[in-house]
């Protein structure tokens, strides 16, 4: 057996090639969001709003009822926050309830819930205690069950899924101390040795890793004469010799999560535990995240609902200048934002989840937009609640209770939600990921024109193909149904939502024109314009959310379920969203991006170090990034088993 390879060094171009190779290259199914970025408003793909089958709804509601009782009677959120740990009896109770197997097929002992009801369950559990929601989500959304569901063999499913459904907790291990969103530099190795692989390396931020029984581990198989190797996925038993959980990490929020640092030293993994072929690991991870990311919007929806409840109750009880504070416009606007945005986040989540269940559409962009939009808006809603609560919003629930007031954990929710802007793809990475998918059609027809490695012959061929494509596409961006006053009239019932859908249609065409102009202007430098690309994506996210709220409001109206109120919330959200969209459109071309780059160059070159004078840095000693060299562990194993 050869020694594990050293940490790979890669250029920016090589890193991009690795990420590109892991993408799903083809679009075999329609995508509402992809069409939106191309200037085509395909309302028919989401309206009428898809609904779960009656039997799926019945089973889902039955489990939600049981889970609600468990959350109300067995979960003590204050204790979890105080002790920074979910009690073993709570985890054991979740196992008995079947909550570990919500997404696992019934033939493997799971509950077989749909994505819609799985997310509703995560929202419910997360409202009781966000750390519990994370435990369940990390186990099922990205842990062993989901990759095996999508890519596992029948033998792997039969061996591992029954365990995951009832007894075994799983975790997903990709990140390393010096590797985040750039997996091309992944250093954990998996060297083939007979009918096994030998794993060496260190993984960071292993959510559930401290208590996990099973792991999905991404490791690099070295290239040989016989195969190309590459990043590969494995199911690994946590009690395998050579695995050490070296630290249980602590964070500003989600204090109960079991997140750690896991070291692998000469860990033998049967070749039968490899998921998919060698080199397919990153593609497996990204495909898993297409729906796995929807767990974060679920937590944001739960937080929004709670923020709305607290804002309503507090703003009615608290009086200033002779009136409840809700009647003061400065506070009222915040309440309106929380209410309208909560409605929007639930609309986006339910629509994306139902589309995932039906499997008629490719939702890779919708899932990513849902994660991006929900994590940003969830944080803003929590921040507004803290502001509404004033000094009490900054005070801990424990302190409030100690002096005789209602123990409202507003500051905790703010801390707990902050990680969602980083988890499973930071906002900045999501901008780039979505932008890449949004311009995929352009790169397919004109990519060779801006690729420096392509020959003149290839460029000439690409130019001809691009000419044909744009000759058909560009004229369609000039005019559309959004300019006809009567379009989408079925969304006019007392309150007129049709005007918002017409705005979405017009804005989608404007967005596509802006993208095309930018590509023509910057060509190969387009990928460096991250500020511009981020705004393009944010506009798309707002347009997707506006579409979702209108469709949801119409669904609720036809069901006779708070239809008038839903129309009012949809109208409020769309009006608020349109203001944000117009600002983003303006900032596409009027911004400080160039000046910011100059300032950053000065900062990194030391030109402004004088500005840092006059302070004391309370940071401790130590390297910025811990050493993650392969080798045996020198620390105690803090892994623990939950029976």
């Amino acid at each position: 057996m050869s020694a594990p390879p050293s940490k790979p060094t890669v250029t920016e171009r090589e890193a991009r090639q690795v990420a590109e190779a892991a993408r799903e290259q083809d679009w075999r199914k329609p995508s509402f969001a992809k069409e939106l970025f191309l200037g085509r408003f395909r309302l028919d793909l989401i309206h009428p709003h898809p609904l779960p089958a009656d039997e799926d709804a019945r089973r889902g509601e039955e489990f939600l009822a049981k889970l609600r009782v468990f959350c109300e009677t067995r979960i003590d959120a204050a204790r979890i926050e105080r002790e920074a740990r979910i009690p073993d009896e709570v985890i054991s109770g979740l196992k008995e309830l079947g909550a570990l197997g919500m997404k696992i097929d019934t033939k493997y002992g799971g509950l077989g819930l749909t994505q819609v009801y799985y997310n509703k369950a995560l929202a419910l559990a997360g409202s009781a205690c966000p750390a519990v929601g994370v435990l369940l989500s990390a186990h099922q959304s990205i842990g062993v069950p989901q990759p095996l569901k999508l890519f596992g063999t029948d033998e792997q499913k039969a061996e591992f899924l029954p365990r995951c459904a009832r007894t075994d907790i799983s975790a997903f291990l990709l990140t390393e101390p010096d590797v985040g969103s750039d997996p091309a530099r992944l250093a954990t190795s998996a060297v083939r040795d007979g009918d096994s692989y030998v794993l060496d390396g260190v993984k960071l931020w292993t959510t559930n890793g401290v208590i996990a029984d099973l792991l999905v581990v991404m490791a690099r198989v070295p290239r040989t004469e016989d195969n190309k190797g590459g990043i590969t996925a494995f199911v690994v038993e946590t009690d395998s010799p050579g695995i050490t959980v070296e630290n249980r990490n602590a964070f500003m929020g989600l204090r109960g999560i079991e997140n750690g640092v896991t070291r692998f030293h000469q860990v033998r993994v049967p070749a039968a535990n490899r998921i998919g072929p060698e080199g397919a690991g990153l593609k497996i991870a990204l495909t898993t995240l297409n729906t796995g990311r929807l767990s974060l919007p679920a937590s944001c929806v739960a937080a929004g609902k709670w923020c709305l409840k607290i804002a309503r109750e507090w703003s009615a009880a608290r009086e200033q200048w002779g009136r409840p504070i809700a009647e003061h416009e400065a506070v009222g606007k915040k309440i309106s934002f929380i209410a309208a945005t909560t409605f929007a986040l639930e609309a986006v989540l339910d629509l994306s989840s139902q589309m995932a269940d039906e499997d008629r559409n490719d939702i890779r962009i919708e899932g990513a937009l849902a994660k991006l939009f929900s994590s940003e808006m969830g944080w803003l809603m929590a921040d507004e609640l803290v502001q509404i609560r004033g000094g009490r919003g900054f005070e801990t629930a424990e302190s409030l209770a100690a002096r005789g007031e209602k123990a409202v954990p507003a500051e905790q929710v703010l801390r707990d939600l902050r990680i969602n802007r980083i988890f499973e793809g930071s906002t900045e990475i999501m901008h780039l990921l979505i932008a890449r998918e949004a311009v995929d059609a352009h790169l397919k027809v004109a990519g060779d024109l801006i690729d420096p490695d392509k020959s003149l012959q290839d460029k000439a061929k690409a130019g001809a193909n691009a000419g044909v494509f744009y000759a058909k596409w560009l004229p369609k961006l000039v005019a559309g149904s959004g300019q006809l006053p009567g379009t989408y009239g079925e969304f006019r019932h007392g309150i007129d939502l049709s005007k918002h859908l017409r705005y979405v249609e017009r804005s989608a065409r404007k967005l596509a024109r802006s993208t095309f102009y930018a590509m023509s202007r910057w060509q190969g430098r387009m990928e460096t314009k991250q500020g511009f690309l981020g705004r393009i994506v944010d506009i798309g996210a707002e347009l997707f959310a506006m579409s979702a709220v209108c469709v949801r409001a119409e669904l609720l109206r036809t069901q006779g379920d708070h239809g008038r109120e839903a129309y009012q919330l949809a109208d409020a959200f769309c009006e608020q969203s349109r203001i944000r969209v117009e600002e983003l459109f303006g900032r596409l071309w009027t911004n400080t991006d160039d000046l910011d780059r100059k300032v950053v160059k000065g900062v990194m070159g030391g030109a402004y170090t004088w500005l840092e004078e006059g302070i004391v840095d309370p940071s401790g000693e130590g390297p910025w990034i811990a050493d993650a060299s392969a080798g045996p562990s020198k620390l105690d194993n803090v892994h623990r088993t939950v029976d």
Side-chain angles (χ1 to χ4, degrees), residues 306 314 389-411:
W306 183 81
W314 167 247
R389 286 276 290 161
R392 291 172 173 84
F394 193 66
E395 191 173 1
T396 67
E398 188 175 31
S399 176
L400 288 165
R403 60 183 186 79
E405 291 195 0
K406 188 177 180 67
V408 179
E411 59 83 29

Side-chain angles (χ1 to χ4, degrees), residues 227-262:
N227 60 65
K228 65 178 183 179
I231 299 173
T232 305
F234 300 90
V235 178
V236 181
E237 302 272 3
T238 312
D239 61 1
S240 301
I243 296 181
T244 306
V245 178
E246 296 187 330
N247 191 63
R248 182 180 187 270
N249 303 323
F251 304 96
M252 67 181 285
L254 297 178
R255 300 190 65 218
I257 63 174
E258 300 287 350
N259 181 294
V261 177
T262 303

Side-chain angles (χ1 to χ4, degrees), residues 266-278:
Q266 298 288 288
V267 177
R268 285 196 166 270
V269 180
N273 285 20
R274 188 188 70 215
I275 308 174
E278 290 184 358

Side-chain angles (χ1 to χ4, degrees), residues 91-92 170 176 196 216 228 266 379-380 436 463 513 531 576:
I91 300 176
S92 298
S170 69
E176 298 176 2
S196 299
V216 175
K228 65 178 183 179
Q266 298 288 288
W379 164 258
L380 289 176
R436 172 61 187 87
R513 293 195 302 269
Q576 295 168 10

Side-chain angles (χ1 to χ4, degrees), residues 155-228:
E155 292 77 14
Q156 288 171 336
K157 293 175 183 177
E159 180 177 358
F160 296 116
L161 291 184
R163 292 168 57 184
C164 291
R166 290 291 173 180
T167 59
D168 288 17
I169 296 170
S170 69
F172 174 78
L173 278 60
L174 172 62
T175 304
E176 298 176 2
D178 197 26
V179 179
S181 299
D182 182 10
R185 298 172 59 247
L186 191 109
T188 297
S189 64
V191 179
R192 186 70 184 251
D193 183 30
D195 60 357
S196 299
Y197 289 84
V198 178
L199 271 60
D200 283 276
V202 178
K203 294 295 184 179
L204 176 63
W205 296 325
T206 59
T207 301
N208 285 0
V210 179
I211 58 173
D213 306 287
L214 290 170
L215 311 171
V216 175
V217 181
M218 297 293 164
R220 182 183 300 279
V221 176
R223 180 188 296 271
T224 66
E225 293 182 359
D226 299 326
N227 60 65
K228 65 178 183 179

